[in-house]
Amino acid sequence: MFITIEGGEGTGKTTQAVLLRHFLEEYGREVVTTREPGGTIGAEELRNVILKGDVTKWSSISETLMYYAARYDHLEKKILPALKEGKWVISDRFADSTLAYQYYGYNKQGICLEDLMAIHNVTLKSFAPDLTFILDIDPEIGLRRAGEKLRFEKMDIEFHKRLREGFLEIAKANPSRCVVIDANKSIEEISFALKLEVKKRFFKE
Ligand code: TMP
């Protein structure tokens, strides 16, 4: 199974990915945790190019192309081989982040949806996560929690409000794949909600 964890800044995705991994391992699954942008040597190199530096460094179209270049490398070299070996893969962000950040975040005025979907289809074909958790939080709270300030964390609050709405739109459009989780709860409560959903969907007891 391929599970993705999505959301804005400071939602605790990384912590939840680790907790979910431990849970799955207790159930005897072999699990690979990974992240985007990144996950492979080439994609981690691109991560630095994209995320370090000034907020105006790239346009949303350039960014989209780079995220998908990194994503293809990640898919080809890490995600697909692991799935083929029967492992479960948990990715801290995947394609929904590009739609939320590069399309909704830029107020739909950067890359147009048609072009983004064309790039998406060339790169991923029909590949999609089996399950996506969208960790939802008020961006004012999330930004206070976020650690190192990368490019997007320096964007104004309106950007973050738009991308939150974007993630909620994505969830609405993909109700069987996406589950929205209130990320204002404690780490334990969020983790419990994730595990419950995974059990319900994939483990018959
Ligand atoms: P994170 O490791 O804290 O999630 O940081 C990754 C940053 O990259 C975050 O600010 C969101 C951004 N991002 C995009 O804008 N588009 C994408 O497609 C991905 C994967 C990440």
Side-chain angles (χ1 to χ4, degrees):
M1 291 295 160
F2 179 45
I3 300 175
T4 57
I5 307 184
E6 298 276 9
E9 309 296 331
T11 51
K13 293 177 286 85
T14 315
T15 308
Q16 292 303 328
V18 174
L19 294 173
L20 189 58
R21 177 200 181 122
H22 293 157
F23 168 77
L24 288 168
E25 284 171 346
E26 277 168 28
Y27 271 79
R29 283 5 181 228
E30 266 193 87
V31 186
V32 172
T33 40
T34 187
R35 69 169 181 181
E36 285 209 351
T40 59
I41 294 170
E44 289 291 336
E45 283 175 5
L46 276 171
R47 179 184 177 98
N48 279 330
V49 172
I50 308 168
L51 292 178
K52 297 264 161 84
D54 193 78
V55 279
T56 57
K57 189 174 165 192
W58 305 112
S59 71
S60 88
I61 295 180
S62 304
E63 274 172 5
T64 302
L65 291 165
M66 286 187 284
Y67 280 116
Y68 272 96
R71 185 160 299 134
Y72 188 79
D73 198 62
H74 189 207
L75 185 71
E76 187 187 28
K77 300 204 179 111
K78 191 167 189 180
I79 300 172
L80 291 178
L83 292 174
K84 218 170 162 188
E85 287 169 13
K87 295 175 183 159
W88 287 49
V89 179
I90 303 173
S91 186
D92 179 346
R93 295 193 186 283
F94 193 63
D96 294 324
S97 277
T98 314
L99 189 54
Y101 279 78
Q102 279 62 53
Y103 179 66
Y104 288 104
Y106 285 93
N107 212 8
K108 305 179 183 172
Q109 284 160 7
I111 190 161
C112 72
L113 194 55
E114 201 182 14
D115 289 351
L116 198 159
M117 289 327 294
I119 296 166
H120 178 97
N121 292 335
V122 165
T123 316
L124 299 187
K125 310 267 185 304
S126 60
F127 181 81
D130 296 290
L131 171 63
T132 296
F133 290 110
I134 293 183
L135 304 194
D136 178 59
I137 200 166
D138 178 343
E140 307 256 10
I141 300 170
L143 284 169
R144 273 203 298 274
R145 281 192 193 166
E148 188 195 1
K149 291 273 174 287
L150 297 169
R151 279 184 56 237
F152 288 109
E153 284 138 346
K154 298 178 201 154
M155 288 287 208
D156 65 31
I157 188 72
E158 294 309 316
F159 178 91
H160 293 279
K161 286 183 181 162
R162 288 193 296 269
L163 80 89
R164 179 190 196 189
E165 291 310 313
F167 274 122
L168 295 175
E169 288 281 324
I170 292 167
K172 224 191 276 170
N174 301 276
S176 57
R177 174 173 65 86
C178 298
V179 178
V180 178
I181 303 283
D182 177 2
N184 207 13
K185 298 216 164 104
S186 70
I187 291 175
E188 293 75 22
E189 283 171 304
I190 298 169
S191 177
F192 182 78
L194 265 59
K195 291 172 193 171
L196 201 66
E197 188 63 37
V198 166
K199 259 187 172 176
K200 202 172 79 189
R201 287 194 182 219
F202 306 122
F203 299 158
K204 306 245 176 329
E205 286 189 287

